[in-house]
Amino acid sequence: MSDSNPDIIYTKVDEAPELASASLLPIIQKFAAAAGVTVGTKDISLAGRIIATFPEALTEEQRQSDDLAALGELVKTPEANVIKLPNISASVPQLVAAVKELQSQGYALPDYPEEPKTDEEKAVRAKYDTIKGSAVNPVLREGNSDRRAAAAVKKFAQNNPHRMGEWTADSKTRVASMPGNDFFANEVSATLDKAATAKIVLETANGETVLKEGVSYPAGTVVDATFMSAKVLDQFLAEEIEKVKADGTLFSLHMKATMMKVSDPIIFGHAVKAWLAPVFEQFGDKLAALGVSGNAGLGTLLDKVKDEPEIMAAIDAVTAERPPMYMVDSDRGITNLHVPSDVIIDASMPALIRAGGKGWGPDGKEHDTTCVIPDNCYAPVYDETIKFFKANGKLNPATAGTVQNLGLMAQKAEEYGSHPTTFEIPEDGTVKMILDDGTVLHSHAVEAGDIWRSASARKAPIEDWVNLAIDRQKATGYRAIFWLDETRAHDAQLIAMVKPILEAKGVADKFEIMAPREATRASLETITKGENTIAITGNVLRDYLTDLFPILELATSAKMLSIVKLMNGGGLFETGAGGSAPKHVQQLQSENHLRWDSLGEFCALGESFKFLGDAKGNAKAKVLGDAVETATQGILDNDRSPSRKVGEPDNRDSHYWFARYWAEALAAQSEDAELAAHFAPIAKALAEGESAIVSELAAAQGSAADLGGYYHGDPAKTAAVMRPSATLNAIIG
């Protein structure tokens, strides 16, 4: 830990953004100190969270505090000022790999029990399950989301438009979704008129099983329940595989097994079983004995049966009959169905759409693709986007307007799938949500294998979200649309809360309410004309749209301003929506080149300093924040962002230039003479050291880099890799 109560918390995370921090954070701390600002760290990495969860298994030296819990308390206070970098939302394969690495480093952690049998194994599994999926964001997001392209980033994208794939009217690319009996069709929703505690039970012919009890809700909470039919899902997947073969397109499945950590791995498993249906029919018992479920993906399945020649031959035979599959890595044979966390819908669908509807096939070439998105809640967004571009051709980034987003997410609003109220139903029966006064709030007749889930959104976050939208629309004058479908149960409850607030504030005429499909078309029409719009959405759509539109407008979602206005007055500044980029780490390990772009960190940093300046009356912090914006503009205008290729400037070079432009901006400003005098010699040293620094950074590239670990690297080794310029280090300290 740095300071016990630092002014700004910079989160320690995973993969590419954490490697970048090893280079960038010393620069930030050096500059902040000149304004009397302390920048500390809290560890919310996957490895850090695993270590904090099992103190009883570790030595005193190995133990570390539960920083996520500490941050969870901090964000409820007005003092909070947190810069949150992207962390791993762990799938089971990632969790297992991280545990194995820590064990190899001497941490006596228990194995992850895939199929717990004893009470001890069940207890271990329950602890690990708290770390899986999107475990971090719901804890930290005690406010609603304001995401938009920073002005400098949008201007740069228009002046330097990225390449877009060509769309043609005869493209066979399409979205395929279930005909019904999915989460969308089966949803029921109610708003509680008083505080209540609920239990969720499954009533069957054999009696009643309590699935969950003690779920408490304050008055005014919108509570949903729904389920997806496993039988209808299986039938849909089987039919879709045949349709794809007839169409001559690639088969692809687009899920979010990280955020929807309970439901989506199960759906993913159904797809693996549908793909290999004849194999499961012939060898079902043997596969079960080998511990094969399908939920962990084709990669794990193939590993478990590699010593079974009969099963391997059957898999090869079935694969030969199937349509070609969309590939994650065609060179290495990694398919769409290999690992649940490899194909994440909010990244994979925009990339495919940006490429003109093309996906990579097993032959290493691009092809039209069938995008299987089983549930209809948000599939229409992608379906309508594809239809729009087929009819109108690709978007022109040079002239396109922008879609900003205000997302409802505070206090775990709409945490579909990533919360503890999602269940795979063990036998036929009826699931009921029963309130403490005996009222049956929701009821569903279900069959074995169905996926049932509930989520909620509290009244205070909903009201905060609507007021945030009113403020943003007033500040911009942009077209403002609530993406809510009056025919969907949950959305109808929200509309009943949104409309009275808009009317009471006298701004109802400034807002439109549209279902996601219609809102998608309206937004695309608006930005095609070069105009701007605000998408006011729920939590999942916030996640999806803040990748979709930025990837179309800017080529990346990692360069977004992502501000969470915490409900109790603090600030959480997220560094874009770029994920944690495992491929970037692989390239660094093999070639010592990190292509991660820290522009999202720069944007968040500027906002954090300005927020600190306002909140604490620290004028120097505000000067630092304004200078960060100037430095960020300098990075863009002078093309100092990292290259993808080894031997060309990378992330470390961009940090040198950022430090230099930041120091030059601080030396040149006239608001604070003391800061100007402090940074003038630093700016001079950075400019005079340019040739030495650039050559030292270039010399580091080309050979393998040893980080001392993937999930839990060695800090000294990582610093040696990420800070290879002695000249720069001497200036920064």
Side-chain angles (χ1 to χ4, degrees), residues 176-383:
S177 300
M178 288 169 66
N181 228 335
D182 59 352
F183 294 130
F184 178 83
N186 292 325
E187 188 171 76
V188 287
S189 185
T191 303
L192 301 178
D193 55 7
K194 60 177 190 283
T197 301
K199 67 175 178 177
I200 303 165
V201 302
L202 172 63
E203 294 177 355
T204 71
N206 299 316
E208 181 182 288
T209 304
V210 177
L211 299 175
K212 183 86 178 170
E213 55 190 340
V215 187
S216 58
Y217 306 105
T221 301
V222 176
V223 182
D224 313 329
T226 186
F227 76 96
M228 176 182 280
S229 164
K231 200 180 281 179
V232 176
L233 172 64
D234 288 341
Q235 191 178 343
F236 159 73
L237 289 166
E239 288 173 1
E240 211 46 60
I241 290 167
E242 293 307 314
K243 278 187 196 167
V244 173
K245 191 172 179 180
D247 285 350
T249 57
L250 300 178
F251 176 91
S252 65
L253 176 72
H254 300 264
M255 307 298 301
K256 185 134 189 184
T258 50
M259 183 187 191
M260 314 293 194
K261 67 182 181 187
V262 183
S263 58
D264 283 21
I266 298 170
I267 297 168
F268 192 89
H270 277 268
V272 171
K273 283 187 170 178
W275 190 260
L276 294 178
V279 180
F280 276 90
E281 282 161 25
Q282 190 180 350
F283 299 102
D285 293 343
K286 186 78 180 282
L287 290 168
L290 290 167
V292 171
S293 75
N295 292 18
L298 200 53
T300 301
L301 183 153
L302 290 170
D303 189 55
K304 288 188 174 181
V305 302
K306 65 179 184 290
D307 298 325
E308 302 288 339
E310 208 182 351
I311 298 177
M312 289 298 289
I315 290 172
D316 289 342
V318 170
T319 304
E321 286 296 308
R322 293 304 193 203
M325 212 190 300
Y326 169 96
M327 302 297 280
V328 169
D329 189 334
S330 47
D331 291 342
R332 292 167 54 223
I334 308 294
T335 72
N336 178 195
L337 295 180
H338 259 65
V339 183
S341 55
D342 268 358
V343 179
I344 297 179
I345 185 170
D346 46 329
S348 60
M349 285 302 300
L352 184 139
I353 291 165
R354 185 192 157 203
K358 302 292 187 185
W360 292 98
D363 59 358
K365 293 176 183 168
E366 290 187 305
H367 301 275
D368 288 347
T369 305
T370 298
C371 306
V372 176
I373 307 171
D375 179 51
N376 284 278
C377 286
Y378 304 112
V381 170
Y382 300 114
D383 183 52

Side-chain angles (χ1 to χ4, degrees), residues 417-621:
S418 65
H419 47 80
T421 48
T422 301
F423 307 96
E424 189 171 21
I425 302 302
E427 57 180 315
D428 296 2
T430 304
V431 177
K432 293 180 178 176
M433 287 193 86
I434 305 171
L435 303 184
D436 42 13
D437 65 0
T439 304
V440 177
L441 186 67
H442 298 312
S443 176
H444 285 110
V446 292
E447 296 179 316
D450 290 352
I451 308 162
W452 186 96
R453 74 182 188 195
S454 171
S456 63
R458 297 181 177 198
K459 185 180 182 182
I462 295 168
E463 291 173 340
D464 179 81
W465 170 64
V466 180
N467 287 321
L468 198 59
I470 292 169
D471 291 347
R472 190 94 201 108
Q473 195 282 329
K474 187 180 177 186
T476 61
Y478 294 165
R479 181 180 191 179
I481 303 170
F482 280 91
W483 292 47
L484 297 170
D485 182 351
E486 63 184 9
T487 69
R488 181 180 172 186
H490 169 80
D491 288 8
Q493 298 292 322
L494 288 192
I495 291 170
M497 297 170 87
V498 168
K499 280 184 172 176
I501 299 173
L502 297 178
E503 284 159 10
K505 293 279 180 85
V507 293
D509 59 325
K510 307 277 189 201
F511 293 86
E512 299 165 81
I513 297 174
M514 295 184 193
R517 181 182 293 281
E518 288 67 36
T520 301
R521 180 160 286 269
S523 300
L524 288 168
E525 287 169 350
T526 301
I527 63 171
T528 298
K529 288 189 289 193
E531 296 168 6
N532 306 316
T533 179
I534 305 166
I536 310 150
T537 72
N539 194 0
V540 181
L541 267 182
R542 165 202 61 79
D543 207 42
Y544 292 4
L545 299 191
T546 54
D547 275 308
L548 176 61
F549 289 111
I551 286 170
L552 296 177
E553 292 176 35
L554 316 171
T556 176
S557 58
K559 300 177 182 179
M560 296 284 282
L561 270 179
S562 187
I563 301 164
V564 182
K565 296 188 175 175
L566 299 170
M567 288 172 65
N568 290 331
L572 176 69
F573 306 94
E574 299 188 328
T575 62
S580 48
K583 283 187 180 175
H584 294 204
V585 187
Q586 290 159 16
Q587 185 181 14
L588 180 84
Q589 287 174 322
S590 62
E591 302 178 330
N592 204 343
H593 178 94
L594 184 65
R595 67 180 192 254
W596 176 261
D597 191 338
S598 293
L599 207 72
E601 289 95 311
F602 304 157
C603 292
L605 184 66
E607 293 293 326
S608 171
F609 275 123
K610 288 193 284 185
F611 177 79
L612 184 69
D614 292 339
K616 297 271 178 80
N618 182 337
K620 287 186 188 305

